[in-house]
Amino acid sequence: METKDALRQRRSVKVFDPNRQVTDEQLAELFELTTLAPSAWNFQHYQFIVVRDPEYKKRLREAAMGQEKVEQASVTIVVCGDLHAYKRARRVAEEFADKGFYGPNGKEKVEAQARLMYDTYAKNPQKAREEALRSASLAAMSLMVAAQDMGLATCPMIGFDPEKVRKVVKMPGHLFPAMLISLGYEGDFDLPRCARLPLNEVVQIDRYGKAFNPES
Ligand SMILES: Cc1cc2nc3c(=O)[nH]c(=O)nc-3n(C[C@H](O)[C@H](O)[C@H](O)COP(=O)(O)O)c2cc1C
C-alpha cells in the first residue's frame, strides 16, 4: 500500500471484530516499523504494553471509561512515555561516535555529549516529560500507519484514568500512559470520517496571519 493511501484510509475504528486475533508475527513486524519513528537524540522515550489477556483487557476497559473497543479489539496497546530515557545518554553518545555522527575523533566527544544529553533532562523533568510525550506520540502515529498498511485497524484513545491504567498493567513510576491504541481487525464500522479544517485555517506561510491559499 502507498503511504498516501494508508494515511487516507486510516480511521479511528470504533468497532472491532472480536473473533480475529493479531499474531505475534504481526506484532513483531508492527513494532519493528513503529520503532523506526524518529525520537530526540534517538532516545526512544517509549515502552509499549500490549494487553491481550481477556482478564487484563476487561480491567483496562474499566480504566478507559468503559470503552468497548478496548476489550473487543484483539489487543489494546498502552503507549507509555519514558521519563528516564535520558539515562541511555552514554550508550546513545557512544553509538553516535561509532557511526561517525561526531566527525573524526568522535570518541573524544562522547563524555561531553553524554553529559549534555543527560543533564538536559535530569535537570528539567518537565522537558523530559514533553520529550517523552512527543516521541511516544510520533511512534504511535507510525504504529497506526504501519497497521493500516498491514490491513489492521486502530483507534487511539485518551479517554482513560492514568492512575487506573497504571495499576492494571503494573506500570513503574518512570513511565506514564501517553495514549491507548486498540488494534485488531475492523468490525461493523461504517461511520463516515469527520471533516478536516480547510488548509487555509491550519497552514500559514512565513508568519501567523498569512493563510496558505494554494493555487489550484
Ligand atoms: C490523542 C487522541 C485521543 C483520542 N481519544 C479517543 C478516545 O478516547 N475514544 C475514541 O473513541 N476516539 C478517540 N480518538 C479518536 C478521535 O476521535 C479521531 O481521531 C477523530 O475524531 C478523527 O477521526 P479519524 O481518526 O477516524 O479520522 C482520539 C484521537 C487522538 C489523536
Side-chain angles (χ1 to χ4, degrees):
M1 181 184 278
E2 290 276 342
T3 308
K4 284 180 193 173
D5 291 332
L7 288 166
R8 289 195 173 104
Q9 289 169 20
R10 182 214 57 81
R11 293 293 312 280
S12 293
V13 166
K14 313 286 181 187
V15 185
F16 287 81
D17 181 344
N19 301 314
R20 292 185 72 188
Q21 307 307 322
V22 173
T23 65
D24 273 3
E25 200 183 358
Q26 286 171 305
L27 287 178
E29 184 180 20
L30 184 69
F31 285 113
E32 188 246 316
L33 295 167
T34 297
T35 55
L36 292 174
S39 61
W41 273 320
N42 198 29
F43 273 171
Q44 297 186 236
H45 324 57
Y46 43 65
Q47 288 279 312
F48 304 96
I49 303 177
V50 180
V51 179
R52 66 177 169 193
D53 179 284
E55 189 51 38
Y56 273 81
K57 281 203 290 187
K58 184 165 175 274
R59 283 156 57 194
L60 190 62
R61 176 181 175 179
E62 284 161 17
M65 321 289 176
Q67 297 192 60
E68 192 177 3
K69 49 194 166 299
V70 172
E71 215 178 341
Q72 199 178 47
S74 176
V75 301
T76 292
I77 301 161
V78 185
V79 181
C80 310
D82 182 354
L83 299 170
H84 285 179
Y86 66 86
K87 292 189 176 178
R88 290 192 276 277
R90 169 162 279 281
R91 187 166 137 194
V92 160
E94 278 169 1
E95 188 178 4
F96 275 138
D98 287 345
K99 301 228 162 116
F101 287 88
Y102 295 155
N105 306 321
K107 280 278 181 201
E108 291 165 16
K109 296 182 183 151
V110 167
E111 199 57 49
Q113 289 294 325
R115 172 59 51 199
L116 169 71
M117 290 189 241
Y118 189 96
D119 286 351
T120 298
Y121 299 106
K123 291 180 177 166
N124 190 340
Q126 189 185 333
K127 195 176 171 81
R129 192 179 171 89
E130 285 170 5
E131 212 70 276
L133 188 56
R134 239 188 310 267
S135 293
S137 300
L138 285 168
M141 189 66 217
S142 289
L143 186 154
M144 292 187 281
V145 176
Q148 189 69 36
D149 185 75
M150 292 167 67
L152 298 170
T154 56
C155 185
M157 281 164 281
I158 197 63
F160 59 82
D161 178 323
E163 284 317 305
K164 287 185 183 162
V165 168
R166 178 183 295 287
K167 279 205 189 91
V168 172
V169 297
K170 304 188 191 331
M171 190 183 295
H174 67 285
L175 302 181
F176 66 92
M179 76 184 78
L180 306 182
I181 300 180
S182 286
L183 170 78
Y185 287 89
E186 192 169 319
D188 191 10
F189 174 67
D190 61 2
L191 295 175
R193 173 176 247 155
C194 290
R196 295 307 198 252
L197 293 169
L199 293 188
N200 64 10
E201 285 188 33
V202 291
V203 184
Q204 314 283 322
I205 301 290
D206 295 327
R207 59 172 173 76
Y208 187 78
K210 194 175 165 204
F212 179 50
N213 279 305
E215 297 158 12
S216 52

PDB file of all heavy atoms in Angstrom, residues 10-12 14 67 69 155-159 193 196, ligand 1:
ATOM      1  N   ARG A  10      -6.668   5.381   6.926  1.00  0.00           N
ATOM      2  CA  ARG A  10      -6.670   5.140   8.373  1.00  0.00           C
ATOM      3  C   ARG A  10      -7.851   5.821   9.029  1.00  0.00           C
ATOM      4  O   ARG A  10      -8.178   6.942   8.713  1.00  0.00           O
ATOM      5  CB  ARG A  10      -5.364   5.674   8.995  1.00  0.00           C
ATOM      6  CG  ARG A  10      -5.269   5.423  10.505  1.00  0.00           C
ATOM      7  CD  ARG A  10      -4.552   6.532  11.226  1.00  0.00           C
ATOM      8  NE  ARG A  10      -5.184   7.822  11.001  1.00  0.00           N
ATOM      9  CZ  ARG A  10      -6.263   8.264  11.664  1.00  0.00           C
ATOM     10  NH1 ARG A  10      -6.821   7.517  12.607  1.00  0.00           N
ATOM     11  NH2 ARG A  10      -6.795   9.443  11.382  1.00  0.00           N
ATOM     12  N   ARG A  11      -8.524   5.130   9.889  1.00  0.00           N
ATOM     13  CA  ARG A  11      -9.627   5.698  10.657  1.00  0.00           C
ATOM     14  C   ARG A  11      -9.466   5.311  12.117  1.00  0.00           C
ATOM     15  O   ARG A  11      -8.811   4.328  12.424  1.00  0.00           O
ATOM     16  CB  ARG A  11     -10.976   5.134  10.143  1.00  0.00           C
ATOM     17  CG  ARG A  11     -11.333   5.578   8.736  1.00  0.00           C
ATOM     18  CD  ARG A  11     -11.623   7.063   8.642  1.00  0.00           C
ATOM     19  NE  ARG A  11     -12.537   7.507   9.698  1.00  0.00           N
ATOM     20  CZ  ARG A  11     -13.865   7.343   9.661  1.00  0.00           C
ATOM     21  NH1 ARG A  11     -14.441   6.769   8.623  1.00  0.00           N
ATOM     22  NH2 ARG A  11     -14.632   7.757  10.666  1.00  0.00           N
ATOM     23  N   SER A  12     -10.094   6.093  12.983  1.00  0.00           N
ATOM     24  CA  SER A  12     -10.171   5.688  14.383  1.00  0.00           C
ATOM     25  C   SER A  12     -11.376   4.765  14.475  1.00  0.00           C
ATOM     26  O   SER A  12     -12.522   5.218  14.604  1.00  0.00           O
ATOM     27  CB  SER A  12     -10.341   6.917  15.275  1.00  0.00           C
ATOM     28  OG  SER A  12      -9.178   7.698  15.220  1.00  0.00           O
ATOM     29  N   LYS A  14     -14.125   2.328  15.612  1.00  0.00           N
ATOM     30  CA  LYS A  14     -14.853   2.225  16.888  1.00  0.00           C
ATOM     31  C   LYS A  14     -15.369   0.811  17.146  1.00  0.00           C
ATOM     32  O   LYS A  14     -15.748   0.490  18.265  1.00  0.00           O
ATOM     33  CB  LYS A  14     -16.048   3.192  16.907  1.00  0.00           C
ATOM     34  CG  LYS A  14     -15.747   4.606  16.443  1.00  0.00           C
ATOM     35  CD  LYS A  14     -14.961   5.395  17.468  1.00  0.00           C
ATOM     36  CE  LYS A  14     -14.700   6.808  16.983  1.00  0.00           C
ATOM     37  NZ  LYS A  14     -13.815   7.585  17.816  1.00  0.00           N
ATOM     38  N   GLN A  67     -14.807   1.986  27.509  1.00  0.00           N
ATOM     39  CA  GLN A  67     -14.840   1.943  26.034  1.00  0.00           C
ATOM     40  C   GLN A  67     -14.750   0.491  25.538  1.00  0.00           C
ATOM     41  O   GLN A  67     -13.758  -0.208  25.782  1.00  0.00           O
ATOM     42  CB  GLN A  67     -13.705   2.780  25.436  1.00  0.00           C
ATOM     43  CG  GLN A  67     -13.820   4.259  25.782  1.00  0.00           C
ATOM     44  CD  GLN A  67     -12.888   5.122  24.956  1.00  0.00           C
ATOM     45  OE1 GLN A  67     -12.962   5.148  23.740  1.00  0.00           O
ATOM     46  NE2 GLN A  67     -12.006   5.835  25.635  1.00  0.00           N
ATOM     47  N   LYS A  69     -14.279  -0.954  22.705  1.00  0.00           N
ATOM     48  CA  LYS A  69     -13.224  -1.409  21.779  1.00  0.00           C
ATOM     49  C   LYS A  69     -11.969  -1.901  22.499  1.00  0.00           C
ATOM     50  O   LYS A  69     -11.236  -2.732  21.970  1.00  0.00           O
ATOM     51  CB  LYS A  69     -12.861  -0.305  20.782  1.00  0.00           C
ATOM     52  CG  LYS A  69     -12.593   1.055  21.388  1.00  0.00           C
ATOM     53  CD  LYS A  69     -12.604   2.099  20.286  1.00  0.00           C
ATOM     54  CE  LYS A  69     -12.677   3.539  20.755  1.00  0.00           C
ATOM     55  NZ  LYS A  69     -13.871   3.923  21.524  1.00  0.00           N
ATOM     56  N   CYS A 155      -7.473   2.342  16.935  1.00  0.00           N
ATOM     57  CA  CYS A 155      -8.133   3.533  17.477  1.00  0.00           C
ATOM     58  C   CYS A 155      -7.282   4.083  18.616  1.00  0.00           C
ATOM     59  O   CYS A 155      -7.060   3.383  19.607  1.00  0.00           O
ATOM     60  CB  CYS A 155      -9.546   3.238  17.991  1.00  0.00           C
ATOM     61  SG  CYS A 155     -10.389   4.761  18.508  1.00  0.00           S
ATOM     62  N   PRO A 156      -6.788   5.323  18.464  1.00  0.00           N
ATOM     63  CA  PRO A 156      -6.050   5.933  19.574  1.00  0.00           C
ATOM     64  C   PRO A 156      -7.044   6.431  20.613  1.00  0.00           C
ATOM     65  O   PRO A 156      -8.148   6.830  20.258  1.00  0.00           O
ATOM     66  CB  PRO A 156      -5.330   7.114  18.904  1.00  0.00           C
ATOM     67  CG  PRO A 156      -6.247   7.531  17.801  1.00  0.00           C
ATOM     68  CD  PRO A 156      -6.962   6.270  17.338  1.00  0.00           C
ATOM     69  N   MET A 157      -6.646   6.415  21.878  1.00  0.00           N
ATOM     70  CA  MET A 157      -7.571   6.870  22.935  1.00  0.00           C
ATOM     71  C   MET A 157      -6.842   7.616  24.041  1.00  0.00           C
ATOM     72  O   MET A 157      -5.779   7.179  24.493  1.00  0.00           O
ATOM     73  CB  MET A 157      -8.255   5.653  23.577  1.00  0.00           C
ATOM     74  CG  MET A 157      -9.379   5.071  22.782  1.00  0.00           C
ATOM     75  SD  MET A 157      -9.759   3.426  23.411  1.00  0.00           S
ATOM     76  CE  MET A 157      -8.457   2.495  22.665  1.00  0.00           C
ATOM     77  N   ILE A 158      -7.493   8.718  24.458  1.00  0.00           N
ATOM     78  CA  ILE A 158      -7.005   9.423  25.637  1.00  0.00           C
ATOM     79  C   ILE A 158      -8.077   9.369  26.735  1.00  0.00           C
ATOM     80  O   ILE A 158      -7.872   9.857  27.845  1.00  0.00           O
ATOM     81  CB  ILE A 158      -6.592  10.873  25.263  1.00  0.00           C
ATOM     82  CG1 ILE A 158      -5.703  11.507  26.330  1.00  0.00           C
ATOM     83  CG2 ILE A 158      -7.797  11.739  24.993  1.00  0.00           C
ATOM     84  CD1 ILE A 158      -4.401  10.839  26.531  1.00  0.00           C
ATOM     85  N   GLY A 159      -9.191   8.743  26.409  1.00  0.00           N
ATOM     86  CA  GLY A 159     -10.265   8.606  27.389  1.00  0.00           C
ATOM     87  C   GLY A 159      -9.969   7.487  28.373  1.00  0.00           C
ATOM     88  O   GLY A 159     -10.470   6.368  28.241  1.00  0.00           O
ATOM     89  N   ARG A 193     -15.983   9.616   7.850  1.00  0.00           N
ATOM     90  CA  ARG A 193     -14.952  10.399   8.542  1.00  0.00           C
ATOM     91  C   ARG A 193     -15.440  11.836   8.743  1.00  0.00           C
ATOM     92  O   ARG A 193     -16.099  12.395   7.875  1.00  0.00           O
ATOM     93  CB  ARG A 193     -13.684  10.386   7.699  1.00  0.00           C
ATOM     94  CG  ARG A 193     -12.610  11.283   8.208  1.00  0.00           C
ATOM     95  CD  ARG A 193     -11.341  11.153   7.397  1.00  0.00           C
ATOM     96  NE  ARG A 193     -10.294  10.574   8.196  1.00  0.00           N
ATOM     97  CZ  ARG A 193      -9.263   9.903   7.699  1.00  0.00           C
ATOM     98  NH1 ARG A 193      -9.172   9.696   6.403  1.00  0.00           N
ATOM     99  NH2 ARG A 193      -8.346   9.427   8.490  1.00  0.00           N
ATOM    100  N   ARG A 196     -12.076  17.688   7.909  1.00  0.00           N
ATOM    101  CA  ARG A 196     -10.900  18.397   8.412  1.00  0.00           C
ATOM    102  C   ARG A 196     -11.069  19.879   8.100  1.00  0.00           C
ATOM    103  O   ARG A 196     -11.762  20.267   7.156  1.00  0.00           O
ATOM    104  CB  ARG A 196      -9.627  17.860   7.742  1.00  0.00           C
ATOM    105  CG  ARG A 196      -9.326  16.394   8.081  1.00  0.00           C
ATOM    106  CD  ARG A 196      -9.308  16.173   9.583  1.00  0.00           C
ATOM    107  NE  ARG A 196      -8.639  14.940   9.967  1.00  0.00           N
ATOM    108  CZ  ARG A 196      -9.238  13.849  10.438  1.00  0.00           C
ATOM    109  NH1 ARG A 196     -10.556  13.826  10.588  1.00  0.00           N
ATOM    110  NH2 ARG A 196      -8.527  12.796  10.789  1.00  0.00           N
TER     111      ARG A 196
HETATM  112  C1  LIG B   1      -4.880  11.758  21.302  1.00  0.00           C
HETATM  113  C2  LIG B   1      -6.191  11.188  20.802  1.00  0.00           C
HETATM  114  C3  LIG B   1      -7.109  10.727  21.707  1.00  0.00           C
HETATM  115  C4  LIG B   1      -8.294  10.139  21.268  1.00  0.00           C
HETATM  116  N1  LIG B   1      -9.134   9.589  22.201  1.00  0.00           N
HETATM  117  C5  LIG B   1     -10.200   8.869  21.769  1.00  0.00           C
HETATM  118  C6  LIG B   1     -10.982   8.133  22.703  1.00  0.00           C
HETATM  119  O1  LIG B   1     -10.724   8.129  23.906  1.00  0.00           O
HETATM  120  N2  LIG B   1     -12.017   7.412  22.210  1.00  0.00           N
HETATM  121  C7  LIG B   1     -12.316   7.377  20.881  1.00  0.00           C
HETATM  122  O2  LIG B   1     -13.273   6.678  20.506  1.00  0.00           O
HETATM  123  N3  LIG B   1     -11.587   8.052  19.977  1.00  0.00           N
HETATM  124  C8  LIG B   1     -10.525   8.788  20.385  1.00  0.00           C
HETATM  125  N4  LIG B   1      -9.729   9.444  19.474  1.00  0.00           N
HETATM  126  C9  LIG B   1     -10.066   9.394  18.045  1.00  0.00           C
HETATM  127  C10 LIG B   1     -10.552  10.738  17.517  1.00  0.00           C
HETATM  128  O3  LIG B   1     -11.858  10.980  17.928  1.00  0.00           O
HETATM  129  C11 LIG B   1     -10.419  10.692  15.979  1.00  0.00           C
HETATM  130  O4  LIG B   1      -9.053  10.612  15.647  1.00  0.00           O
HETATM  131  C12 LIG B   1     -11.001  11.921  15.292  1.00  0.00           C
HETATM  132  O5  LIG B   1     -12.375  12.035  15.544  1.00  0.00           O
HETATM  133  C13 LIG B   1     -10.768  11.866  13.780  1.00  0.00           C
HETATM  134  O6  LIG B   1     -11.285  10.670  13.235  1.00  0.00           O
HETATM  135  P1  LIG B   1     -10.393   9.691  12.348  1.00  0.00           P
HETATM  136  O7  LIG B   1      -9.184   9.328  13.173  1.00  0.00           O
HETATM  137  O8  LIG B   1     -11.267   8.481  12.069  1.00  0.00           O
HETATM  138  O9  LIG B   1     -10.017  10.406  11.116  1.00  0.00           O
HETATM  139  C14 LIG B   1      -8.575  10.058  19.883  1.00  0.00           C
HETATM  140  C15 LIG B   1      -7.634  10.558  18.981  1.00  0.00           C
HETATM  141  C16 LIG B   1      -6.457  11.091  19.431  1.00  0.00           C
HETATM  142  C17 LIG B   1      -5.426  11.570  18.440  1.00  0.00           C
END
